[in-house]
Amino acid sequence: MQKPIVVVGSVNLDLVCTAERIPAIGETVTGDSFQTFHGGKGANQAVAVARLGYPVSIVAKVGDDEFGTRLRNGLRVAGVKVGTVATVKNTASGVALISVDRKGQNSITVIPGANGKLLPRDLERALPILRSAGMILAQLEVPLETVEYLCAAARRLHVPLMLDPAPARPIPRQMLCQVTYLTPNESETCTLCNLHGRNLNLKTVVEFAQILQSQGAQNVIIKMGSRGAYAAGANGMQKMVPAFKVKAVDSTAAGDAFNGGLAVALMQGKSLEDAVRYGAAAGALS
Ligand code: RIB
């Protein structure tokens, strides 16, 4: 029997406007369209896993507003098990205000709402489901103390953990030591390495990945958008995996789809290199 993937993370309603360009500070631009989508890094990763036909549950919180009901139903319809999605009273669901330009690039403001109330004690209650997991996926849109608790629990339970360190923020070294797969994008890599002035390119990425491994992450996969993804494995494997060429419409959640694909492929026993290629395909399709 396949052990499920368990995602612990955020669920948001994405309020998305498209315009020729993203406004600069103090500027007003006239946009082309406005739509709402189900999002949140945790929910996006869970949906990616479900769409690839792999069993998945999510541990999350939504508010007791109209968005909360809609988001939970959306996850269920997508094939994600939602028995561990709790509703928080007198609290708004998480929302993300997203601007997308004509090149498909975005800028995002997240208001955590109920996601900010997912606490270590909620994970204590979810221990049976965490214990049953083949892999746990986490991101940083819920409180850091919760992700710290999760990393320690995953280590204790001998369940591999994939951490998407997004949105970018420094994280304690002790936590990195408990991460089996670390999947930062370029800006998150610079934040974690504390090397803001340095340029991340196809040459320096090797050094950046080494720094993250020396801080304790076992396998490091650096997502570099249209330039591909660089993988440094615990077994010494190093490989730049090219991206699939697509016309980008909206890059929102491409990184989340990548993580979902990567996790499914690893659970199916693919090598790290092949799994990264599979993740890249999922990201490109997204
Ligand atoms: O990674 C994309 C996601 O980031 C969006 O769906 C938005 O909700 C923010 O959490």
Side-chain angles (χ1 to χ4, degrees):
M1 204 181 77
Q2 286 175 318
K3 282 188 160 191
I5 288 173
V6 176
V7 179
V8 177
S10 56
V11 180
N12 294 331
L13 191 76
D14 290 356
L15 310 174
V16 183
C17 68
T18 61
E20 188 183 345
R21 62 197 163 76
I22 295 167
I25 290 168
E27 186 187 23
T28 302
V29 299
T30 301
D32 308 316
S33 71
F34 172 76
Q35 279 176 284
T36 59
F37 296 99
H38 298 180
K41 295 184 196 301
N44 293 338
Q45 294 186 10
V47 169
V49 170
R51 286 192 182 163
L52 291 167
Y54 200 87
V56 58
S57 301
I58 186 165
V59 180
K61 282 193 167 171
V62 293
D64 61 349
D65 51 7
E66 172 194 330
F67 291 172
T69 312
R70 179 175 158 184
L71 291 166
R72 184 203 305 271
N73 286 340
L75 283 163
R76 188 186 303 118
V77 169
V80 179
K81 291 213 177 82
V82 293
T84 42
V85 177
T87 301
V88 191
K89 284 214 171 94
N90 302 320
T91 303
S93 296
V95 291
L97 310 178
I98 305 181
S99 301
V100 182
D101 71 11
R102 291 266 162 82
K103 290 185 193 146
Q105 304 177 121
N106 62 36
S107 78
I108 306 182
T109 305
V110 173
I111 296 110
N115 297 307
K117 298 199 171 169
L118 188 71
L119 298 175
R121 63 170 176 267
D122 300 307
L123 300 191
E124 271 168 38
R125 279 183 221 120
L127 274 178
I129 196 166
L130 294 174
R131 189 175 288 120
S132 74
M135 187 177 293
I136 296 171
L137 308 192
Q139 321 75 33
L140 298 178
E141 278 187 338
V142 296
L144 189 64
E145 57 168 320
T146 306
V147 185
E148 278 187 274
Y149 177 94
L150 179 65
C151 291
R155 170 59 63 93
R156 231 181 20 250
L157 298 170
H158 304 289
V159 178
L161 179 127
M162 182 182 293
L163 176 65
D164 196 18
R169 61 172 297 170
I171 53 180
R173 200 174 257 235
Q174 200 197 338
M175 197 172 132
L176 268 191
C177 293
Q178 293 161 332
V179 171
T180 324
Y181 300 96
L182 183 73
T183 63
N185 68 12
E186 297 172 59
S187 65
E188 291 144 14
T189 300
C190 293
T191 301
L192 292 177
C193 294
N194 203 11
L195 289 172
H196 284 286
R198 293 279 308 281
N199 196 6
L200 182 63
N201 56 41
L202 297 182
K203 282 192 188 135
T204 56
V205 71
V206 177
E207 188 195 330
F208 280 62
Q210 272 165 2
I211 293 173
L212 294 173
Q213 282 189 308
S214 72
Q215 290 178 359
Q218 291 172 42
N219 301 274
V220 173
I221 299 98
I222 299 181
K223 298 180 276 190
M224 300 175 72
S226 59
R227 289 188 288 175
Y230 177 78
N235 60 2
M237 167 279 212
Q238 297 181 354
K239 184 84 188 177
M240 185 73 212
V241 177
F244 290 86
K245 212 170 159 37
V246 288
K247 183 180 175 311
V249 178
D250 178 354
S251 62
T252 312
D256 297 326
F258 179 106
N259 277 48
L262 177 65
V264 169
L266 288 167
M267 286 306 300
Q268 290 171 341
K270 289 194 170 56
S271 68
L272 182 58
E273 180 182 340
D274 286 347
V276 169
R277 195 165 293 113
Y278 195 75
L285 286 169
S286 149

